[in-house]
Structures are given as C-alpha cells and as structure tokens.
Amino acid sequence: MTEDVLSGLLRRIRLRGALFFNVECVGAWVTEAPASVLISSAVMPASEHMMEYHVVLGGTCWAGITGEPQFQMNAGDVILFPHGDPHVMSSVPGLRAEPDLPFLMANLRKREGLPFMVRQQDDRHIQPAIPRPEPSSNPPTATLLCGFLGCDRGPFNPLLSALPRVIHARASELSVDSWAGQLGRIAEAESRNSRPGGEAVLERMSEMMFVDLVRLYLSSMPKNQTGWLSALRDRHVGRVLTLMHSHPAEAWTLEKLSGHAGLSRSALQDRFAELVGQPPAMWRRERSVQQVR
C-alpha cells in the first residue's frame, strides 16, 4: 500500500534531474551553496522547487546546512537537501566561504557538455579542470558529483513537506546496485568520454536515486515517529491514505474508511489524527482545497 501512495505522489510532482558537476577537490577546500531559490532561475526555470544533492565518488569531506552541524562523507555516500537549504561542503568541518551569486548564475547557465569537470581548491571559485597527462603533485582529497532535482509543489502533495531538511545516506546503507552507486560510476565515465544521450541517462538516473533515498529514509524512521510518512507505514492508516489518494473523487466517510481499515470509526479517527496530525475528514478537505488551487 505504501509504495502505491508514494508512486502516485512521485508521478504528480513531475520530478526531473538537471545539470551536473564532477568536482575534484584539492587541498584544504570549502565551497558554500546559496539557498536553491536564489539560483533556480538559472538551473531549472520551469520547476517550482529545486533540490540539490552530492555524491562522493572518492575521498572524504564534510557537508551540512550552513550554520549547523556537518556530516562526515565517505566514498559512496550521498547527501540530499530536499528543501533547498544553503549548505557547505569542505575538507574539514567548520570552514566557510561566502557564496558568489554572480559567478554561480553565470556558470550555471552554461549547459553544454554535462557533467562539467571542475576543480575546487581553498575557498576560490570552482574552475574548469585541466587534463593532466602525468600524476599531479597535489591530487584531489575528494571527488564529488553534484546535481539538482526539480519538481512541482502542487497539486496537493504532502511528500515534500514531510521530508527532513537533510537526507544523508551512507554507502553502507545503499545496496551495491543502488541508483546512487550506478549514477556515480556512469557520471564519472560520461564526464571523461561523452556519448550521445548521456545527459538524458544521467537525469533519469538521478530521479531514480531520489526515489531510493526517500524509500531509505522511510524505512529508517523510528517506529514511534509521527507524521505523514510515518502514517504510510501503519497497516490501518496506510490503507486509508492509499484509498483516498487512489480515489480522490470518492465521497469518503469515516464509516466507509473504517470498514476498509478494519478499525472502528473512533479507533481510526484517533489513530489517523495521532499519526497525520488531523482527522481524516479535515485532511481530505484540505487536500481537496489545495487540488482546486
């Protein structure tokens, strides 16, 4: 049941991937990304909302929302910022570098030959990577794949608001054949040996990676956590949410829903309100209003 609801919501938000950077990070480096709303017009102007993610292809680094504790990232790890928060990536925690919006806007509009190969050193701007025929005396301390995911906010879709501000997936938590792992390998190959259709492949793979991360987050939530995503895991409330999402035009009453859920009306009302934060009738009414908008 849970997967049916998730699949329907993912279809409605029209998820799309775009614009990749393959970044070699050298020495003691730091880069700071502004809130995605400040650069979305240059990256994904057709999307109502933009997220940013980073895959560590090699080495180690630190990443997190600006001004908040950072996560240590190792090869194979992925970090996603679902709400487009400003964030910092660095060689060690605590480093800061003011985002240069004019520089970012100018370079993000260049869309040919994705993913871009660039180098990040110290707190200077990222620069195009120069092929080095011989081993460098200053090899990268980390190699990153950076990308963006755009989506629509409506019609009423609780998925985005239910996601945390950061999802950090460790390589050990991702399966060997996960989309994140495959995306990293193929993007690295594409950045060195571009092939026709490569951009489209990477875009679709990044969209599937997002689905992987949402499912991983859903499976790792504490059992006592409440909220819309937690409600999907509940056998009774999850069934009710599936019915209301699958058949939005149906005149659902508490009596009808309780029959499908296998609970009394009062038990369903209390359980639904406990997990979702409001009773079924109010939740359905709010959903209908937002769909009309």
Side-chain angles (χ1 to χ4, degrees), residues 18-21 108 110-117 187 190-191 194-195 198-199 202-203:
L19 201 65
F20 298 87
F21 289 100
L108 287 171
K110 299 176 183 177
R111 298 178 179 272
E112 69 280 354
L114 304 181
F116 302 123
M117 283 290 293
E190 286 292 336
S191 64
S194 297
R195 294 172 293 176
E199 287 182 41
L202 294 174
E203 289 168 5

Side-chain angles (χ1 to χ4, degrees), residues 20-256:
F20 298 87
F21 289 100
N22 191 325
V23 188
E24 290 184 342
C25 304
V26 179
W29 58 273
V30 57
T31 185
E32 192 160 328
S36 65
V37 68
L38 298 178
I39 58 175
S40 59
S41 62
V43 183
M44 308 188 81
S47 294
E48 296 173 353
H49 178 70
M50 191 175 77
M51 301 172 271
E52 190 167 352
Y53 68 86
H54 306 276
V55 182
V56 181
L57 302 178
T60 62
C61 66
W62 291 77
I65 293 173
T66 304
E68 298 190 5
Q70 292 180 284
F71 300 88
Q72 185 171 16
M73 304 277 290
N74 300 300
D77 284 13
V78 182
I79 192 165
L80 170 73
F81 299 92
H83 300 282
D85 283 291
H87 56 277
V88 180
M89 305 283 293
S90 59
S91 54
V92 295
L95 299 181
R96 294 290 302 272
E98 190 69 24
D100 187 335
L101 278 175
F103 173 85
L104 285 171
M105 295 294 280
N107 283 272
L108 287 171
R109 288 192 172 97
K110 299 176 183 177
R111 298 178 179 272
E112 69 280 354
L114 304 181
F116 302 123
M117 283 290 293
V118 295
R119 283 172 65 82
Q120 171 71 49
Q121 188 168 354
D122 304 320
D123 62 350
R124 298 195 297 269
H125 301 317
I126 55 176
Q127 299 292 341
I130 301 172
R132 297 178 301 281
E134 297 183 4
S136 171
S137 59
N138 199 9
T141 56
T143 307
L144 310 174
L145 175 69
C146 307
F148 302 90
L149 289 160
C151 65
D152 293 341
R153 287 187 177 275
F156 176 62
N157 193 313
L159 177 58
L160 288 177
S161 60
L163 292 176
R165 295 173 67 195
V166 182
I167 296 178
H168 173 212
R170 295 177 176 84
S172 59
E173 298 172 319
L174 298 165
S175 62
V176 176
D177 58 349
S178 69
W179 289 103
Q182 294 183 57
L183 174 63
R185 289 190 295 273
I186 293 179
E188 198 168 17
E190 286 292 336
S191 64
R192 289 172 170 77
N193 184 26
S194 297
R195 294 172 293 176
E199 287 182 41
V201 170
L202 294 174
E203 289 168 5
R204 299 292 87 76
M205 290 184 69
S206 66
E207 294 161 17
M208 293 307 300
M209 181 192 69
F210 174 80
V211 177
D212 263 356
L213 295 179
V214 171
R215 294 166 75 181
L216 177 65
Y217 174 71
L218 179 62
S219 66
S220 64
M221 287 191 303
K223 291 185 178 180
N224 61 348
Q225 185 167 326
T226 59
W228 179 83
L229 278 174
S230 295
L232 290 182
R233 301 184 303 177
D234 185 86
R235 182 163 61 94
H236 303 291
V237 178
R239 184 177 297 137
V240 166
L241 286 170
T242 297
L243 286 168
M244 290 195 286
H245 274 283
S246 301
H247 307 284
E250 180 76 23
W252 292 110
T253 63
L254 187 58
E255 185 173 5
K256 283 184 181 179

